[in-house]
């Protein structure tokens, strides 16, 4: 009997963990050829999530939990589950039931057909705002153009199945700024996608705000490409050309028309040229230096405070 490990990060999900287990258990009751385990990762929850997980694990032996010492973030939580999951295949999904467990049999069928990685392509229901749809599409377009990975539009969900061989490769990564969606695409292997429509969140509120989305986008872009550094250089040439041509023409006109202000022309040209050039290039270089600074310290992606396996 093949074993499927299901990795679920949980941050303030006290109202969802029991429901998630019930849904997954119901799915596997119809899959007699497969055994399963659920590994919940308590990512520094401030509610009663840990208490609920301990109660659930005492009632059901298939429920395992990992408790972080603090909140390390969604990506390190998924990585922790994969590091300790040794099923024949590993499925990662969110703990708010927006990722439908009913899709698991279809993912397993694709895996049995020979695919090493089965990712999901998220389709937004009509209730989702146009702003959310457009920003999501824009993110994938920018990421594909500025990085060396090609994510399918809507295919960046962390709801995926990975064969044990692919998970073993994932365990060996020691990057500080984890971007698992990009790493999964970069790894190769035989992959296929399945479309799904996200469910409504049943309990609690999402902590994934606009600021975190923007940070996540920068992480994805800078983790897989140095193209932004080239763009900075191109922008430098562009600003230099604009300042030289545009202000140069204005300075010549001012001298001819006798309307120049003493010292103003040279001062403004210097400010525009060096200010625009330095702020953009230094900002981009600073992002990469910050990533190097964090990486060379070799701190762990997460710290486990407690686990029951």
């Amino acid at each position: 009997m093949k074993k499927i490990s299901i990795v679920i990060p949980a941050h303030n999900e006290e109202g969802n963990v029991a429901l998630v287990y019930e849904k997954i258990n119901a799915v596997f009751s119809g899959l007699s050829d497969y055994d399963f385990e659920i590994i919940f990762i308590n990512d520094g929850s401030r509610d009663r999530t840990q208490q609920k997980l301990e109660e659930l694990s005492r009632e059901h032996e298939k429920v395992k939990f990992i408790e972080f010492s603090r909140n390390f973030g969604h990506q390190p939580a998924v990585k922790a589950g994969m590091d300790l999951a040794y099923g024949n295949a590993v499925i990662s999904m969110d703990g708010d039931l927006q990722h439908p467990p009913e899709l698991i049999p279809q993912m397993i069928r694709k895996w049995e057909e020979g695919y090493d990685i089965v990712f999901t392509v998220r389709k937004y229901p009509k209730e989702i705002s146009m702003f959310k749809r457009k920003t999501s599409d824009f993110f994938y377009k920018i990421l594909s153009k500025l990085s060396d990975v090609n994510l399918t539009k809507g295919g960046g969900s962390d709801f995926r199945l990975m064969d044990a061989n692919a998970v073993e490769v994932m365990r060996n990564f020691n990057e500080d700024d984890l971007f698992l969606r990009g790493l999964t695409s970069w790894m190769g292997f035989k992959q296929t996608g399945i479309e799904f429509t996200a469910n409504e969140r049943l309990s609690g509120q999402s902590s994934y705000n606009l600021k975190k989305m923007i940070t996540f986008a920068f992480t994805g872009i800078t983790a897989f490409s140095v193209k932004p550094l080239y763009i900075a250089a191109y922008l430098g040439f562009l600003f230099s050309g604009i300042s030289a041509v545009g202000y140069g023409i204005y300075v010549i006109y001012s001298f001819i028309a006798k309307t120049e202000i003493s010292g103003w022309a040279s001062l403004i040209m210097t400010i525009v040229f060096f200010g625009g050039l330095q702020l953009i290039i230094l900002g981009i270089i600073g992002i990469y230096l910050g990533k190097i600074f964090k990486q060379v310290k070799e701190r762990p992606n997460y710290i486990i405070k407690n686990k029951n396996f």
Side-chain angles (χ1 to χ4, degrees), residues 292-303:
I292 295 172
F293 171 71
K294 290 192 291 184
Q295 186 68 41
V296 296
K297 290 186 290 187
E298 296 185 348
R299 291 176 182 171
N301 293 124
Y302 55 85
I303 297 174

Side-chain angles (χ1 to χ4, degrees), residues 10 12-15 17-18 40-59 63 65-67 305-306 308:
N12 297 333
E13 301 286 1
E14 62 174 322
V17 291
F40 288 99
I41 302 91
N42 179 13
D43 184 24
S45 298
R46 296 184 299 274
D47 60 1
R48 299 174 64 250
T49 296
Q50 182 60 31
Q51 182 179 339
K52 291 290 185 180
L53 290 177
E54 292 176 1
E55 294 173 357
L56 201 62
S57 65
R58 287 193 293 266
E59 296 173 3
V63 175
F65 68 80
I66 298 170
E67 181 184 8
K305 176 183 177 181
N306 185 27
N308 70 334

Side-chain angles (χ1 to χ4, degrees), residues 84-103:
L84 296 176
Y86 286 91
N88 299 99
V90 177
I91 296 176
S92 61
M93 59 189 299
D94 290 346
D96 54 9
L97 286 175
Q98 288 189 312
H99 293 162
E102 294 78 15
L103 203 64

